[in-house]
């Protein structure tokens, strides 16, 4: 590549990078500003102080919300990994009539937007008396067609002879699942895990529907609450809250980035 | 160490939902401690038969007896057999040692004993230095040995092998062939071995069964089969290069092979036949013997022997195998001689060896 093209390319990339990252950086800057500074349209705070962060913790029970979010996301992730891997195992390693049809039906549920099922889901949760509880927040998300699909594709790459060899040795199906299938699918499981965790962490509408006090409320609702309470005068505090909320997500991405890439591109090239 | 087990198959049939019948009534009794080879071209049903024996698939009809036990409904693990797969089926995330011992704990064998057996097997197959490695760090031959070791440690009386050598190069294959054979003798297990390679079948088998399109062609000792093939299929399948064959006609004890070649034969047959002769039985004619001439089309010199291809009829080539080295070139005319006692005849319609037909008539 010639120098000229390189310069053009890097300029474009830099501009794109700035555009993409501006909101985050701006939010980070605002989180250090006083109320007046934001309205003056400043990009750089006069001084860096953690006052807003302390305020954020004081205005709403942010720590409690963070904890709730961690519990909800972890439980959903675990539940999804367990159910999806078991379902995928059944779709790959057991033989039964109508297997392919059932699988088609299963993944066709991916075409139904989640919002469309929200009302019946809400009614179910309500009649079970699970409103305002961790059950209501987590259990509806355990069985996901996408996860099953992803893991099925991975399990299909495991040679069937391994399963047959286990059968001949007398290893039970479940033992085979635990000692062979899961270890061989580590990458896909981690990918799915990270994906689930992030999706659950960013969930907004459902927690808003099924919770009504701070007992189980998640952090995304907390943020919204903070915003309405402050009536736009204390943007610094709100942004400080936002920074605190995206921290775990960023951490997860950085730690799992390599695995995530591996998982998403796996199977694309043999 | 373990009690030997026989195997008995009665009228085994297998068809799939798509309708094709893969096995069409297999009857065979396999002796305890026998090295039994199932051989046939690809798609003949030999692997399916092995999978039925292992219990990985269900028979459509017929009976399987293992030992003296009716085994149709036994699960694979209840049949007390081990199996070696074509692609070895090693667990990539486990070390060689874990691979070998995989499955032993199910049989409720003490940890101590498991370790002992693993070491024994590893010792026997020269795997001791590799016990802590993963399969991907091993060569093809070593992986093959790990798969063998895994079959051995179970101490099961029957071992099934599904084309275990087909992924190895020719040299290693020859080596493993003799290793497997020695191992089987040493352990005294009943071995059922599937292959498409007739050389493997000939060199390893106590007895072998030739399958084609789901039907047994012949069961017997390798040399008996080689010398007395039951039908034209067996004759052409067993032996390399394959038996030379040509449609011919017998009239009054004279065999008319081509327009300008006929010979006296001592068979009780009239009419059309397929005449066959092994390449090593087509000799260079000495003066005074009845002979025919042919034009050489290709010569392959292998050092100890020479393969000469010639055209016997337009569009039909035969191969002769002569001992030693012969300087011949394509286009040369050679004079050839065949001893009539070395010829095999198959009836034209059924392609069955007429030797067996007359036997059948006697019986």
């Amino acid at each position: 590549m010639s120098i000229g093209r390189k310069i053009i390319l890097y300029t474009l990339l830099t501009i794109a990078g700035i555009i993409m990252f501006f909101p985050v950086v701006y939010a980070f800057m605002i989180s250090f500003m006083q109320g007046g500074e934001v309205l003056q349209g400043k990009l750089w705070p006069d001084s860096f102080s953690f006052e807003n962060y302390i305020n954020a913790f004081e205005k709403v029970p942010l720590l409690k919300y963070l904890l709730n979010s961690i519990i909800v996301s972890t439980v959903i992730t675990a539940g999804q990994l367990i159910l999806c891997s078991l379902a995928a195992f059944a779709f790959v390693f057991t033989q039964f009539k109508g297997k392919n049809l059932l699988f088609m039906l299963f993944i066709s549920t991916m075409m139904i937007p989640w919002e469309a099922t929200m009302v019946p889901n809400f009614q179910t949760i309500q009649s079970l008396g699970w409103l305002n509880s961790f059950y209501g927040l987590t259990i509806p998300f355990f069985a996901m067609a996408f996860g099953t699909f992803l893991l099925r594709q991975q399990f299909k790459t495991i040679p069937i002879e391994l399963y047959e060899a286990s059968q001949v040795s007398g290893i039970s199906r479940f033992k085979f699942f635990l000692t062979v299938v899961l270890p061989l699918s580590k990458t896909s499981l981690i990918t799915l895990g990270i994906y689930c965790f992030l999706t659950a962490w960013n969930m907004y509408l459902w927690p808003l529907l099924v919770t009504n006090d701070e007992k189980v409320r998640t952090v995304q609702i907390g943020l919204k609450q903070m915003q309405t309470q402050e009536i736009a005068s204390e943007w610094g505090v709100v942004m400080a809250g936002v920074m605190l909320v995206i921290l775990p997500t960023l951490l997860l991405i950085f730690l799992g980035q390599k695995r995530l890439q591996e998982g998403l591109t796996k199977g694309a090239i043999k | 160490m373990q009690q030997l087990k026989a195997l008995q198959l009665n009228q085994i049939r297998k068809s799939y939902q798509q309708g094709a019948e893969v096995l069409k009534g297999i009857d065979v009794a396999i002796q305890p401690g026998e090295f039994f080879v199932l051989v046939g071209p690809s798609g003949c049903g030999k692997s399916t038969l092995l999978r039925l024996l292992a219990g990985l698939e269900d028979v459509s009809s017929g009976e399987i007896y293992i030992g003296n036990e009716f085994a149709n409904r036994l699960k694979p693990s209840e049949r007390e057999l081990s199996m070696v797969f074509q692609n070895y089926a090693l667990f990539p995330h486990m070390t060689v040692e874990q691979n070998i011992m995989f499955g032993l704990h199910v049989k409720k064998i003490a940890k101590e004993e498991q370790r002992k057996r693993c070491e024994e097997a590893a010792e026997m197959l020269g795997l001791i230095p590799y016990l802590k490695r993963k399969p991907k760090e091993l060569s093809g031959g070593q992986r093959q040995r790990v798969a063998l070791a895994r079959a051995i440690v179970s101490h099961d009386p029957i071992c099934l092998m599904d084309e275990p050598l087909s992924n190895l190069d020719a040299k290693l294959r020859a080596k493993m062939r003799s290793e497997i054979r020695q191992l089987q003798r040493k352990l005294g297990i009943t071995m059922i071995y599937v292959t498409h390679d007739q050389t493997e079948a000939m060199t390893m088998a106590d007895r072998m069964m030739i399958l084609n399109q789901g039907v047994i062609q012949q069961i017997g000792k390798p040399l008996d089969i080689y010398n007395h093939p039951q039908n034209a299929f067996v004759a052409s399948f067993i032996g390399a290069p394959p038996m030379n064959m040509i449609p011919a006609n017998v009239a009054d004890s004279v065999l008319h092979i081509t327009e300008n070649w006929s010979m006296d034969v001592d068979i009780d047959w009239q009419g059309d036949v397929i005449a066959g002769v092994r390449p090593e039985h087509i000799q260079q004619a000495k003066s005074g013997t009845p002979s025919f001439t042919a034009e050489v089309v290709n010569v392959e010199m292998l050092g100890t022997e020479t393969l000469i291809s010639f055209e016997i009829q337009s569009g039909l080539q035969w191969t002769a195998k002569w001992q030693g080295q012969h300087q011949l070139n394509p286009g040369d005319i050679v004079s050839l001689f065949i001893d009539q006692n070395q010829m095999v005849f198959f009836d034209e319609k059924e392609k069955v060896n007429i030797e067996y037909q007359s036997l059948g008539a006697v019986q």
Side-chain angles (χ1 to χ4, degrees):
Chain A
M1 212 187 310
S2 69
I3 296 287
R5 286 192 62 177
K6 240 181 198 168
I7 290 171
I8 295 172
L9 193 71
Y10 277 85
T11 316
L12 279 175
L13 285 174
T14 312
I15 292 170
I18 289 170
I19 293 172
M20 288 291 287
F21 214 61
F22 176 74
V24 182
V25 175
Y26 189 47
F28 181 70
M29 290 306 171
I30 292 178
S31 73
F32 293 104
M33 291 182 197
Q34 301 300 318
E37 290 176 67
V38 186
L39 297 177
Q40 286 162 23
K42 284 188 177 173
L43 289 179
W44 202 262
D46 290 339
S47 66
F48 284 94
S49 81
F50 284 97
E51 202 181 321
N52 286 337
Y53 287 84
I54 296 160
N55 261 333
F57 279 110
E58 281 169 356
K59 291 270 158 64
V60 290
L62 201 58
L63 220 49
K64 175 74 181 157
Y65 290 161
L66 271 171
L67 189 69
N68 286 344
S69 264
I70 288 173
I71 292 172
V72 167
S73 303
T74 313
V75 171
I76 289 179
T77 306
Q80 242 191 68
L81 285 180
I82 292 168
L83 287 192
C84 290
S85 56
L86 284 170
F89 182 81
F91 277 125
V92 175
F93 289 102
T94 59
Q95 297 301 328
F96 54 89
K97 267 210 171 103
K99 185 166 91 167
N100 287 332
L101 188 77
L102 192 67
F103 184 69
M104 286 295 159
L105 207 68
F106 204 82
I107 55 170
S108 67
T109 60
M110 282 203 284
M111 290 192 282
I112 303 168
W114 196 81
E115 285 76 8
T117 58
M118 201 154 57
V119 174
N121 270 345
F122 180 79
Q123 286 172 335
T124 314
I125 296 300
Q126 192 179 33
S127 60
L128 284 169
W130 284 355
L131 288 182
N132 219 26
S133 74
F134 283 123
Y135 298 120
L137 276 171
T138 54
I139 290 175
F141 299 94
F142 277 10
M144 280 287 147
F146 172 72
T148 309
F149 175 72
L150 187 85
L151 292 180
R152 175 183 177 262
Q153 296 312 100
Q154 159 63 26
F155 291 178
K156 277 178 94 163
T157 64
I158 297 172
I160 191 76
E161 282 86 353
L162 294 187
Y163 182 51
E164 291 173 346
S166 313
Q167 278 182 296
V168 172
S169 331
I171 305 287
S172 69
R173 267 186 196 162
F174 190 64
K175 180 102 189 170
F176 173 72
F177 174 70
L178 284 184
T179 57
V180 179
V181 175
L182 292 188
L184 286 180
S185 312
K186 220 163 37 188
T187 311
S188 293
L189 288 170
I190 290 172
T191 311
L192 182 64
I194 293 174
Y195 173 81
C196 284
F197 193 89
L198 293 184
T199 318
W201 185 267
N202 291 331
M203 230 173 13
Y204 175 71
L205 198 52
W206 183 253
L208 187 67
L209 273 177
V210 299
T211 61
N212 50 32
D213 63 33
E214 65 188 53
K215 194 172 66 126
V216 295
R217 210 162 247 185
T218 56
V219 80
Q220 307 294 349
I221 316 287
L223 280 183
K224 181 71 191 162
Q225 199 184 347
M226 198 185 269
Q227 208 179 331
T228 25
Q229 273 178 10
E230 299 307 320
I231 329 165
S233 61
E234 293 261 16
W235 279 107
V237 181
V238 177
M239 288 307 155
V242 169
M243 283 297 124
L244 288 169
V245 170
I246 60 172
L247 222 54
T249 343
L250 281 179
L251 214 64
L252 200 66
I253 292 275
F254 285 135
L255 292 179
Q257 195 181 26
K258 214 174 140 224
R259 296 280 189 180
L260 200 64
Q261 276 173 353
E262 264 174 41
L264 290 177
T265 55
K266 207 178 173 195
I269 31 166
K270 187 99 185 163
Chain B
M1 181 161 70
Q2 63 216 358
Q3 126 213 40
L4 297 173
K5 274 200 175 171
L7 255 132
Q8 170 87 38
L9 305 183
N10 294 339
Q11 276 301 308
I12 295 293
R13 285 173 186 277
K14 173 72 184 173
S15 40
Y16 289 103
Q17 280 161 351
Q18 290 78 22
E21 194 167 41
V22 187
L23 293 171
K24 300 165 185 166
I26 303 293
D27 280 303
V28 65
I30 296 165
Q31 307 304 322
E34 188 173 34
F35 198 113
F36 193 84
V37 175
L38 296 174
V39 63
S42 53
C44 72
K46 53 192 192 301
S47 286
T48 308
L49 186 56
L50 199 74
R51 293 169 62 79
L52 294 178
L53 287 177
L56 296 171
E57 281 177 49
D58 293 327
V59 296
S60 302
S61 73
E63 294 150 350
I64 300 176
Y65 290 92
I66 296 176
N68 290 317
E69 199 179 351
F70 180 64
N72 277 27
R73 275 181 219 96
L74 292 183
K75 280 194 232 151
S77 55
E78 294 165 343
R79 299 188 181 203
E80 293 195 319
L81 40 80
S82 55
M83 187 160 176
V84 176
F85 292 85
Q86 184 173 1
N87 61 4
Y88 318 140
L90 300 180
F91 301 104
H93 60 299
M94 298 182 186
T95 62
V96 168
E97 190 176 23
Q98 288 167 329
N99 261 295
I100 294 176
M101 296 201 294
F102 183 79
L104 282 185
H105 68 275
V106 186
K107 296 182 192 269
K108 300 209 169 61
I109 293 164
K111 268 261 146 55
E112 198 87 329
E113 170 73 9
Q114 286 186 22
R115 193 131 295 167
K116 204 179 121 229
R117 284 193 191 183
C118 172
E119 255 165 42
E120 258 174 34
E123 175 87 60
M124 217 183 289
L125 292 160
L127 287 171
I128 296 282
Y130 311 109
L131 282 179
K132 297 288 174 218
R133 293 207 198 164
K134 296 268 175 72
K136 66 165 183 273
E137 298 159 43
L138 301 179
S139 69
Q142 289 163 344
R143 285 181 205 176
Q144 171 66 67
R145 289 204 182 89
V146 177
L148 284 177
R150 193 169 65 189
I152 294 171
V153 287
S154 65
H155 287 197
D156 285 318
I158 297 173
C159 180
L160 308 179
M161 293 200 175
D162 189 2
E163 310 218 13
L165 304 184
S166 57
N167 290 345
L168 302 179
D169 62 69
K171 207 169 171 187
L172 198 53
R173 207 180 302 159
K175 186 162 177 271
M176 289 307 291
R177 225 155 52 195
S178 95
E179 269 187 38
I180 291 177
R181 191 66 176 99
Q182 287 170 29
L183 204 63
Q184 183 267 343
R185 282 214 189 92
K186 199 157 152 191
L187 301 173
I189 36 183
T190 308
M191 180 82 84
I192 299 162
Y193 187 103
V194 161
T195 180
H196 63 268
D197 180 351
Q198 60 90 25
T199 320
E200 265 174 42
M202 289 295 291
T203 49
M204 297 172 88
D206 283 324
R207 280 196 311 149
M208 64 200 219
M209 172 162 112
I210 296 144
L211 268 174
N212 188 31
Q213 297 183 340
V215 179
I216 298 180
Q217 304 295 316
Q218 191 168 5
I219 301 175
K221 292 184 177 152
L223 282 185
D224 289 346
I225 291 180
Y226 187 81
N227 294 332
H228 307 282
Q230 184 129 23
N231 55 38
F233 175 81
V234 174
S236 61
F237 189 77
I238 299 295
M243 184 185 270
N244 300 300
M245 282 191 257
I246 190 168
N249 183 278
V250 183
D252 302 324
S253 290
V254 178
L255 175 72
H256 301 279
I257 301 173
T258 57
E259 276 167 34
N260 44 22
W261 179 31
S262 49
M263 60 196 278
D264 293 338
V265 285
D266 181 23
I267 54 166
D268 182 20
W269 185 270
Q270 289 287 339
D272 288 343
V273 290
I274 292 172
V277 62
R278 295 257 174 224
E280 61 269 29
H281 295 141
I282 303 178
Q283 297 157 13
Q284 198 166 12
K286 299 178 186 91
S287 56
T289 51
S291 65
F292 65 101
T293 54
E295 188 186 323
V296 175
V297 261
N298 190 32
V299 183
E300 291 174 37
M301 287 210 260
L302 303 170
T304 55
E305 60 199 28
T306 308
L307 299 179
I308 302 122
S309 301
F310 55 89
E311 197 158 83
I312 187 151
Q313 223 175 37
S314 69
L316 181 66
Q317 284 190 8
W318 275 23
T319 306
K321 185 153 87 179
W322 293 355
Q323 288 304 312
Q325 301 171 1
H326 299 265
Q327 292 299 331
L328 286 168
N329 291 312
D332 289 354
I333 303 291
V334 283
S335 194
L336 300 161
F337 161 73
I338 297 168
D339 180 355
Q340 64 125 328
N341 292 321
Q342 308 282 17
M343 291 201 92
V344 190
F345 300 99
F346 307 96
D347 88 74
E348 207 265 336
K349 278 204 196 79
E350 303 286 321
K351 310 264 191 290
V352 174
N353 192 336
I354 60 171
E355 175 187 350
Y356 284 89
Q357 283 189 339
S358 48
L359 272 179
V362 172
Q363 283 164 1

